[in-house]
Amino acid sequence: MIRVQRAAEPAEFDAKVRQKGKAALKELIGSTEAPRRRGPRREKLAEGIEDIPSEALPPFWVQALPELRAAYRGICAYLGMYIDPATGLATVDHFKPKSNHKALAYEWSNFRLASHQIDTNKGYHEDVLDPFEIQDGWFVIDLGTFKVEPADSLNDDLHAAVIATRDRLGLNSPTFCASRARYHDLYLGLRTDPDDPEEPLPLAWIRRHCPFMAHELHRQGRLRPADRESTR
């Protein structure tokens, strides 16, 4: 994981997601302040917003997925890796889980772009560090195993938090490690498949598709000579 720069809320988000979500929450608690709309009124299910069953929340957040993908260039906030639309599934992750934070279910500030597997691993747990708040260098990649590890310089509390986040999200699953190794090898021109390009892929391509790996190649002094000169 590397720090993710928070993107501005899209202009149409309030009307497309937030206002519809707030209206639904009011209906689900039987509030007389719920705005009128077409169709039958939702049945009251709870006395307070936080008591509404999470499965009853209308998934208006899905309407924000295209804007979320565009805002974060398709990069999973937790993997630091591009989610290919053809082969991967991107989801709207609620950083504060909607099961425990109903009032944040329709807030752009609570959304993170995540791969489906990462979102599934995270679930309703709240022991994961926020990609918007972490610092670059807390999570590092072992370029021998391609596993994610905590930096040696971290204090005990941060070290434990990095490990908890890594393990909760399954960042060291064989699939994710293999993907990191693939980006590493393509950049360095280490052909592992006859169909691999004969020339190493540009650093800009690696930055676009796996910014976490690009960051680690730079930090660990593994850039190709020409790239070392250009990044000074």
Side-chain angles (χ1 to χ4, degrees):
M1 291 172 65
I2 53 176
R3 186 178 177 89
V4 176
Q5 185 66 38
R6 190 188 302 267
E9 181 179 305
E12 297 181 356
F13 178 82
D14 187 63
K16 286 176 58 177
V17 179
R18 181 183 291 114
Q19 293 307 321
K20 291 181 180 179
K22 284 186 172 181
L25 293 175
K26 289 178 179 178
E27 286 187 42
L28 291 168
I29 62 170
S31 172
T32 58
E33 297 179 0
R36 298 177 65 86
R37 62 179 181 83
R38 293 181 179 179
R41 188 180 178 87
R42 292 181 177 87
E43 179 184 356
K44 179 180 177 180
L45 297 179
E47 294 299 324
I49 287 175
E50 294 305 327
D51 298 320
I52 299 171
S54 56
E55 61 270 17
L57 299 176
F60 294 124
W61 52 81
V62 175
Q63 300 301 316
L65 186 54
E67 288 85 356
L68 199 65
R69 277 201 72 113
Y72 295 105
R73 303 179 67 216
I75 301 295
C76 174
Y78 302 98
L79 282 173
M81 195 179 298
Y82 182 67
I83 308 168
D84 193 317
T87 57
L89 181 62
T91 62
V92 177
D93 168 64
H94 292 77
F95 181 71
K96 293 291 187 181
K98 58 185 179 293
S99 56
N100 302 327
H101 303 271
K102 311 296 192 312
L104 297 177
Y106 305 102
E107 292 296 329
W108 175 262
S109 62
N110 194 40
F111 294 173
R112 310 290 182 268
L113 182 67
S115 75
H116 180 264
Q117 186 59 60
I118 287 289
D119 192 36
T120 299
N121 292 348
K122 180 171 173 283
Y124 59 84
H125 299 284
E126 299 190 49
D127 55 353
V128 169
L129 291 169
D130 188 350
F132 291 170
E133 302 297 335
I134 67 171
Q135 299 298 314
D136 289 342
W138 287 5
F139 294 77
V140 302
I141 300 174
D142 183 322
L143 295 182
T145 64
F146 300 99
K147 291 183 176 181
V148 174
E149 305 292 352
D152 292 336
S153 59
L154 300 180
N155 62 41
D156 290 347
D157 288 343
L158 273 178
H159 188 276
V162 167
I163 289 178
T165 297
R166 178 198 66 187
D167 293 349
R168 174 67 66 200
L169 298 177
L171 297 181
N172 284 345
S173 74
T175 299
F176 296 150
C177 290
S179 293
R180 293 185 200 106
R182 180 75 172 146
Y183 286 118
H184 171 274
D185 292 351
L186 288 172
Y187 170 72
L188 293 176
L190 304 174
R191 300 184 72 200
T192 57
D193 188 295
D195 293 328
D196 285 349
E198 294 186 6
E199 297 296 325
L201 290 180
L203 179 60
W205 191 93
I206 300 298
R207 282 176 172 159
R208 174 67 185 90
H209 289 82
C210 192
F212 188 15
M213 176 55 71
H215 178 274
E216 285 299 285
L217 287 166
H218 188 186
R219 187 186 66 82
Q220 297 188 40
R222 298 288 293 272
L223 295 181
R224 299 194 302 265
D227 291 327
R228 288 200 296 271
E229 291 295 325
S230 66
T231 55
R232 284 182 179 177

